[in-house]
């Protein structure tokens, strides 16, 4: 019985001392701990900043402009594109080099670069545009960033009915005009294409 009483007293004393320690924290200490917690939260990157795939698409977007020019341009071969990707430390997936009279392609996750260097023709399907439009954005953002289209309409692409936003620009660098096309379904961007037509 004595042992139980001693054990009970020890537990009671421990509980009292922990309560007093909490009460002894001054308002300044409390404010400091809250400030430290909020600083840790503010240092935690947002979901999009911490997603390496999204960061990679943002980096790739700065390499090709909507008019087909840039460090990765529509008239490049797969080998030339690989040189640029290597220089920027961007990993790529499958690829097939251009042959005489045959097309090549290279993939960087969901970005697909088709090259027809022999004919000076290229077609890029990208996840993010130079101005920051991303697959998954609203169609309203397309108009906000690019204004009124050269042409718009409703098309069937790969057995899916999609709305098409179409800008055509002429450039002396290429023998044919450049198309910047954005496809959307239910007001959501599904595909972004830059091509020489």
């Amino acid at each position: 019985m004595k042992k139980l009483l001693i054990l009970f007293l020890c537990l009671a004393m421990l509980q009292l001392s922990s309560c007093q320690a909490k009460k002894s924290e001054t308002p300044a200490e409390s404010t400091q701990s809250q400030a430290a917690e909020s600083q840790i939260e503010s240092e935690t990157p947002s979901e999009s900043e911490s997603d390496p795939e999204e960061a990679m698409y943002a980096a790739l977007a700065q390499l090709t402009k909507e008019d087909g020019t840039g460090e990765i341009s529509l008239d490049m071969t797969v080998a030339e594109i690989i040189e640029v990707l290597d220089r920027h430390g961007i990993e790529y997936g499958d690829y097939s080099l251009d042959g005489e009279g045959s097309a090549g392609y290279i993939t960087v996750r969901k970005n697909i670069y088709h090259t027809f260097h022999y004919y000076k023709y290229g077609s890029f399907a990208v996840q993010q545009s130079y101005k920051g439009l991303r697959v998954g954005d609203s169609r309203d953002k397309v108009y906000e960033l690019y204004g009124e289209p050269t042409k718009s309409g409703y098309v069937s692409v790969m057995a899916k009915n999609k709305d098409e936003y179409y800008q055509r620009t002429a450039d002396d660098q290429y023998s044919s005009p450049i198309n910047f096309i954005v496809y959307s379904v239910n007001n959501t961007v599904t595909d972004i294409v830059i091509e020489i037509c």
Side-chain angles (χ1 to χ4, degrees), residues 100-168:
E100 191 172 314
S102 65
Y105 73 90
I106 183 167
T107 62
V108 186
R109 297 282 181 126
K110 294 178 185 173
N111 273 19
I112 303 170
Y113 302 90
H114 284 104
T115 61
F116 300 89
H117 185 67
Y118 187 77
Y119 301 106
K120 295 289 186 193
Y121 172 88
S123 174
F124 299 166
V126 298
Q127 297 299 300
Q128 182 173 327
S129 74
Y130 184 79
K131 289 186 179 179
L133 180 70
R134 296 186 305 180
V135 168
D137 284 344
S138 72
R139 187 174 52 209
D140 297 336
K141 188 168 180 182
V142 180
Y143 284 83
E144 180 185 313
L145 291 173
Y146 297 102
E148 290 299 313
T150 304
K151 177 176 94 173
S152 64
Y154 191 66
V155 295
S156 183
V157 179
M158 294 187 285
K160 292 182 181 177
N161 293 323
K162 299 184 179 190
D163 291 311
E164 177 185 51
Y165 175 98
Y166 178 93
Q167 287 281 17
R168 175 173 275 190

Side-chain angles (χ1 to χ4, degrees), residues 10-193:
C10 287
L11 288 173
M13 287 175 62
L14 279 173
Q15 191 170 6
L16 271 174
S17 66
S18 69
C19 287
Q20 287 176 345
K22 285 183 183 176
K23 285 182 185 176
S24 70
E25 186 179 299
T26 64
E29 289 172 336
S30 176
T31 306
Q32 287 173 350
S33 67
Q34 288 173 352
E37 285 175 20
S38 64
Q39 184 178 0
I40 289 168
E41 286 173 14
S42 68
E43 289 174 358
T44 305
S46 68
E47 242 178 76
S48 63
E49 291 172 350
S50 64
D51 183 346
E53 190 167 346
E54 289 298 319
M56 179 195 60
Y57 291 139
L60 285 169
Q62 297 308 301
L63 301 179
T64 304
K65 296 180 182 176
E66 289 84 353
D67 66 359
T69 63
E71 283 190 66
I72 297 178
S73 61
L74 289 169
D75 63 346
M76 293 174 74
T77 65
V78 169
E80 291 169 328
I81 293 172
I82 286 174
E83 283 179 27
V84 175
L85 296 173
D86 286 343
R87 189 168 57 244
H88 287 278
I90 298 171
E91 294 182 17
Y92 45 89
D94 294 337
Y95 68 90
S96 173
L97 297 175
D98 303 68
E100 191 172 314
S102 65
Y105 73 90
I106 183 167
T107 62
V108 186
R109 297 282 181 126
K110 294 178 185 173
N111 273 19
I112 303 170
Y113 302 90
H114 284 104
T115 61
F116 300 89
H117 185 67
Y118 187 77
Y119 301 106
K120 295 289 186 193
Y121 172 88
S123 174
F124 299 166
V126 298
Q127 297 299 300
Q128 182 173 327
S129 74
Y130 184 79
K131 289 186 179 179
L133 180 70
R134 296 186 305 180
V135 168
D137 284 344
S138 72
R139 187 174 52 209
D140 297 336
K141 188 168 180 182
V142 180
Y143 284 83
E144 180 185 313
L145 291 173
Y146 297 102
E148 290 299 313
T150 304
K151 177 176 94 173
S152 64
Y154 191 66
V155 295
S156 183
V157 179
M158 294 187 285
K160 292 182 181 177
N161 293 323
K162 299 184 179 190
D163 291 311
E164 177 185 51
Y165 175 98
Y166 178 93
Q167 287 281 17
R168 175 173 275 190
T169 55
D171 192 319
D172 294 337
Q173 180 180 349
Y174 302 112
S175 57
S176 301
I178 295 92
N179 295 329
F180 174 71
I181 307 169
V182 179
Y183 297 104
S184 59
V185 174
N186 298 327
N187 199 33
T188 302
V189 172
T190 58
D191 304 275
I192 302 170
V193 177

